[in-house]
Amino acid sequence: MENNFSKLHPLSNIVFFIFMIIFSMFTMNPILVGIMLLESYVYFIYLNGFRSSKKLLFLVIPILIFSCIIIPFFSHNGVTPLFYINDMPFTLETVIFGLVTGGVLMSVIMWLQTATNIIDNEKFLYLTGRLFPTLALIVSMSFRMIPLFIRRYREIGEAQYGIGRNPKDMKAINRFKFTIKKVSILISWSLENSVNTTMSMESRGYGVRRRSSFHLYQFKKKDAIFMIVIFALLIFPFITLVTNGFKVYFFPEMDLLKVGIKQVISYCLIGIAGTLPFIVDLTGSK
Amino acid sequence: MNSIIKFEDVSFKYPNSDKNAMEGISFSVDEGEFVVVCGQSGCGKSTLLSHMKKNQIPFGKGSGDIYVLGKKIEELTDLENAEKIGFIGQDIDSETVTDKVWHELAFGLENLHMENDVIYRRIAEISEYFGLSDLFRKNVNELSGGERQILTLASVMCMHPSVLILDEPTNQLDPLSASKLIKILEQLNQEFSTTIIISEQRPEAVIPLADKVLLMHEGRVVAFDEPKKLGNAINEFKNKNEKLPVLNSFPAAMRLALLADMDEKRGTFKGKAGNALPLSVREGRAWIKSNKDDLGEFFEKIEEYNTARFDKERGEPGEVRLDDLDLQGAKNLRNSQGLQGKSESQSEYAVSVKELAFSYDEKDKKSLKWGARKKSEKKYILENLDLKVSKGSFISILGSNGSGKTTLLKLIGGILEADKGSVNLSGRVSYLTQNPLLLFTEITVEEELAEIYTNYTESDKEKKISDKEIVENVNHMLEKMRLTSLRKSHPYDLSGGERQRLALGKVLLTEPEILLLDEPTKGLDAAFKSELAKLLKEINEGGTTIIMVSHDMEFVAKNSMECALLFDGRTVETTHVKEFFLDNHFFTTATRRLTDGLLSGCVVLPEM
């Protein structure tokens, strides 16, 4: 999806998502989890449309069943029993703990999903290529190979159908043999081709000198501003996180609501930082 | 001398081969020349070209000296080799390395360790020049064959080579993309004085542009001269009574003049075409006009050849040669066979297609990612299509690129399912793909043919066939496809034409009553084409209905009985070949354009 945020430099994108995932993952503070859950969900819907959130239910429901219902049967920490099973308490604390864990999982999943919407293969390649140039080339070549192989495999299937071999008419074992045959055609055909590809690479000077790694991204002024803003916003919450300022206790007794001045400021700053992609999209050339 | 490439008595032998692939080759190419290397497949064109690029020189035993850019090729540094000599191989798919268009363009420059800004500037100007700017951020897989070939060319050109070597670049392209590519090459040659060396087995389109033509036969140079001066060398060579099949894919004007020259030996014409061959249709028409009086008898023969080919239902284009063309005999033949053909063709239909509609949209939708995507209107590639093919006929389906020709074949073959309408077949149908490699699994030719008898389905088991019969059938097919001497070779080691024959043989072993051929002449040379024509005729006479999709007008005009033009999702109408090619003005053979209004009823020229 094309929007102003995705047009920023990949470094800006990845810094944002790394921060968001850190604040979602490394704390069980229910207020923070709530903020992250809300913001990641809104951003997810913004990028993928409301209808696609239906698919999220398939993730949410099993996670919630597991963490809120199944785990409390086996974990008996906590001081507020709701009921007893075989003389073992089913406690409120574990249910709440499960709920928060589920929230953490969900927000991380949604941040990752939105990250793949924003950081496409190309950006990912660039980011890895900065570290490992050869790996980046191999990945780029595989991105070319995979669709090529799929196309070739389909063509092979069509050619074989053309001489009267329809997998639908075959019994399971024959169909399996037939698939093996098609794969073997694909492999010999592609090996034949890869020799030529090597030649073509060599002809264009592969191996003559150390390769440079070309990319189309420019680190512009708005990227610089974005970076300054996001670091300015999050440096204080980050220190709070590292110094265990968000620490909460579920067991044995719950102590969940941390609302000191330090924390409230952090919640606000994180909340603002989470809306940065919207701000970038709306302001455009910021 | 500022020759950019110079060969001095170069010979080369591949290991395991007892014949030299190149023998005593000497020539030199000056800067800015456009040289066409032509010859039939296996004549050593590719071997010759690969000797011009250091890293491409094949393994084997060579002798003689090669100078590139004024240096011996062995002394060329890797950097000069990479930068100054652009080489583009035959296979489009394997020429591209990376996944994105921009990355492909940058690949060579990255290898030379250039800075980001320099690369950006270079690929920006190159993509503007080649018209790739709209495709810049696309995936390589989304491009058409023609676009991919232009991308390959552009990514070599952005390294600023002084010589550009192309090995049969138009082999896998349709005529439209091919002429686009050739136009770009001409432009590069004119505007940048880039030396271009291009090999072609069907040099029709490039010869009129060439400064020099290097004509090869069995590893030797037959002629190296300006195209219009080739006549004498060719005549001399033919006088030694050797065949030179590549001539049959020369431009129509040249062929007509050469035919006239050959006719001269029999004393009817004192030729003057030897040193001033007409190259283009324009020159050819002028040539016909100025020679109309001298060559009256020859032109009459050409006209008669066409009448003989088209008025019989089953023409014998491969057999009727100019030399043994007895006018009276042809007329008799025509009368007797014409009547016979009529009564046969009135029988029932082998294939009848009714109101067929097909769209790829639905099928693509399944593979789309979930998420918001606009519903677009269904785009039909075929709509309301009707086609009737009588039993035993040989019909060609023509049409421009992307008009759905291959789709139609796949629908008839049952590989794709139609959205609407019906396809009725009267018998077993088999489909031969464009790429014969898709069928090959075994390690020898004979095993490859026998592989067809592997039982996969229940119905296969019912008609069980004994081992002895299999051996018999395979031997028979080897004979028929003229592959007996190659029975122990690996299918991948065969040449293009031989592969095509093997694939055809394999398909024929399924004993189809309806045979569907998808571009059977793609990438084949003139010699194999006439062989294929003979094979198809045999098959057709055996009662098999043939439906062929092709871009090759000449081949269609020479061989099929009927033509259907596919346009706007439907077939315009099925017409007899002769009417089709005579009535059409743009969508017809070069011979027709050459002779329109000058000679009556000419669509094809006899073979040389």
Side-chain angles (χ1 to χ4, degrees), chain B residues 194-387:
Chain B
T194 311
T195 311
I196 292 180
I197 301 172
I198 176 172
S199 84
E200 276 292 340
Q201 38 178 263
R202 287 182 292 173
E204 199 167 349
V206 279
I207 281 189
L209 307 174
D211 294 308
K212 294 229 174 103
V213 173
L214 182 80
L215 187 57
M216 288 185 76
H217 186 70
E218 290 182 350
R220 290 166 192 276
V221 176
V222 173
F224 180 58
D225 215 332
E226 288 172 43
K228 60 178 179 220
K229 288 186 186 161
L230 285 176
N232 288 337
I234 290 171
N235 259 346
E236 208 175 293
F237 187 82
K238 293 279 283 187
N239 277 346
K240 285 184 239 154
N241 228 350
E242 283 186 77
K243 279 192 174 175
L244 203 53
V246 69
L247 294 182
N248 291 320
S249 46
F250 271 34
M254 272 179 106
R255 266 154 53 205
L256 190 66
L258 283 170
L259 276 169
D261 249 18
M262 264 161 236
D263 210 32
E264 174 209 10
K265 276 181 299 203
R266 285 183 280 115
T268 47
F269 172 61
K270 300 279 167 250
K272 48 189 159 185
N275 268 322
L277 289 173
L279 304 179
S280 60
V281 166
R282 194 182 66 187
E283 287 171 19
R285 289 179 65 88
W287 182 85
I288 295 177
K289 275 180 202 155
S290 64
N291 287 300
K292 191 124 201 192
D293 303 330
D294 294 349
L295 290 171
E297 203 177 318
F298 166 72
F299 289 141
E300 236 170 68
K301 274 187 188 173
I302 298 286
E303 285 171 8
E304 197 52 46
Y305 171 81
N306 275 279
T307 333
R309 186 264 173 267
F310 290 114
D311 284 8
K312 303 179 279 168
E313 280 300 303
R314 295 188 190 283
E316 296 184 19
E319 317 283 303
V320 184
R321 288 176 174 277
L322 191 64
D323 301 325
D324 45 48
L325 190 64
D326 167 16
L327 297 190
Q328 200 52 46
K331 273 178 200 155
N332 292 340
L333 202 63
R334 177 176 86 220
N335 290 340
S336 64
Q337 294 213 353
L339 289 172
Q340 203 187 338
K342 269 271 150 54
S343 58
E344 229 175 279
S345 65
Q346 292 299 331
S347 53
E348 59 183 302
Y349 296 118
V351 176
S352 80
V353 175
K354 265 190 209 124
E355 288 171 23
L356 192 69
F358 180 79
S359 160
Y360 278 108
D361 290 358
E362 200 91 324
K363 289 92 199 163
D364 288 344
K365 225 174 261 168
K366 274 182 207 153
S367 58
L368 285 184
K369 261 194 190 167
W370 52 283
R373 199 173 275 248
K374 267 186 206 163
K375 257 193 183 172
S376 57
E377 213 167 275
K378 224 175 181 185
K379 212 181 106 202
Y380 284 102
I381 182 157
L382 298 175
E383 203 167 4
N384 257 332
L385 183 139
D386 292 295
L387 180 73

Side-chain angles (χ1 to χ4, degrees), chain A residues 141-279:
Chain A
M141 287 174 72
S142 357
F143 279 150
R144 155 123 183 84
M145 296 295 209
I146 293 163
L148 190 68
F149 282 0
I150 293 171
R151 196 192 80 208
R152 284 180 178 166
Y153 187 75
R154 205 189 57 226
E155 280 176 28
I156 291 169
E158 289 178 352
Q160 294 290 335
Y161 190 108
I163 54 174
R165 285 170 184 173
N166 184 356
K168 279 182 194 153
D169 299 344
M170 294 176 193
K171 281 189 175 165
I173 195 158
N174 280 332
R175 198 179 305 169
F176 179 69
K177 277 189 204 159
F178 183 59
T179 309
I180 300 250
K181 183 153 274 179
K182 286 197 286 186
V183 171
S184 100
I185 296 175
L186 178 67
I187 290 172
S188 31
W189 183 19
S190 302
L191 278 179
E192 179 90 354
N193 269 300
S194 63
V195 176
N196 291 333
T197 307
T198 323
M199 282 285 221
S200 162
M201 288 171 72
E202 213 181 11
S203 291
R204 288 196 269 156
Y206 186 75
V208 170
R209 289 185 187 164
R210 201 168 64 82
R211 271 173 63 79
S212 58
S213 194
F214 175 68
H215 59 85
L216 292 169
Y217 305 106
Q218 284 167 309
F219 198 81
K220 295 223 170 94
K221 205 173 132 203
K222 39 181 179 175
D223 292 298
I225 296 172
F226 182 84
M227 289 294 216
I228 290 168
V229 170
I230 197 164
F231 276 102
L233 283 174
L234 293 178
I235 192 84
F236 181 71
F238 189 71
I239 292 169
T240 319
L241 180 75
V242 178
T243 54
N244 282 338
F246 296 126
K247 190 99 180 150
V248 290
Y249 297 95
F250 290 87
F251 309 111
E253 218 170 325
M254 287 193 286
D255 174 18
L256 297 179
L257 298 173
K258 286 228 158 183
V259 281
I261 291 222
K262 218 163 85 175
Q263 283 79 16
V264 172
I265 294 175
S266 296
Y267 296 149
C268 291
L269 290 176
I270 294 172
I272 295 168
T275 58
L276 275 179
F278 295 106
I279 297 171

Side-chain angles (χ1 to χ4, degrees), chain A residues 122 140 144 147 151 158 161-162 165 174 181 189 193 197 200 203-205 209-212 214-215, chain B residues 53 56 91 93-96 98-99 102 104 110-114 116 141 410 414 431 451 456:
Chain A
E122 217 172 305
S140 166
R144 155 123 183 84
R151 196 192 80 208
E158 289 178 352
Y161 190 108
R165 285 170 184 173
N174 280 332
K181 183 153 274 179
W189 183 19
N193 269 300
T197 307
S200 162
S203 291
R204 288 196 269 156
R209 289 185 187 164
R210 201 168 64 82
R211 271 173 63 79
S212 58
F214 175 68
H215 59 85
Chain B
K53 175 103 178 164
Q56 298 264 3
D91 186 39
D93 264 347
S94 54
E95 284 296 307
T96 39
T98 59
D99 61 333
W102 61 265
E104 189 63 28
E110 285 180 328
N111 289 335
L112 303 182
H113 200 76
M114 288 190 177
N116 216 50
N141 295 305
K410 285 181 184 167
Y431 165 80
E451 195 268 345
Y456 282 111

Side-chain angles (χ1 to χ4, degrees), chain B residues 78 89 115 222 259 293 360 401 419 450 497 528 532-533 539 558 570 575:
Chain B
D78 285 346
E115 292 297 317
V222 173
L259 276 169
D293 303 330
Y360 278 108
N401 242 18
D419 294 345
F528 178 68
L532 181 71
I539 298 164
K558 272 190 179 159
R570 53 186 117 173
T575 8

Side-chain angles (χ1 to χ4, degrees), chain B residues 461-513:
Chain B
K461 271 183 196 131
E462 281 165 27
K463 47 175 183 98
K464 214 171 170 168
I465 185 165
S466 71
D467 288 352
K468 207 179 143 200
E469 263 178 292
I470 292 180
V471 174
E472 242 169 55
N473 287 351
V474 167
N475 280 335
H476 179 70
M477 194 49 76
L478 285 170
E479 198 72 32
K480 196 167 171 185
M481 294 293 141
R482 292 156 194 110
L483 288 169
T484 314
S485 59
L486 296 165
R487 61 190 309 157
K488 295 286 179 202
S489 316
H490 193 286
Y492 273 75
D493 291 338
L494 302 180
S495 74
E498 287 157 0
R499 282 178 188 179
Q500 192 79 13
R501 261 183 292 175
L502 178 56
L504 182 63
K506 197 167 174 183
V507 169
L508 286 179
L509 282 177
T510 62
E511 292 165 20
E513 285 155 69

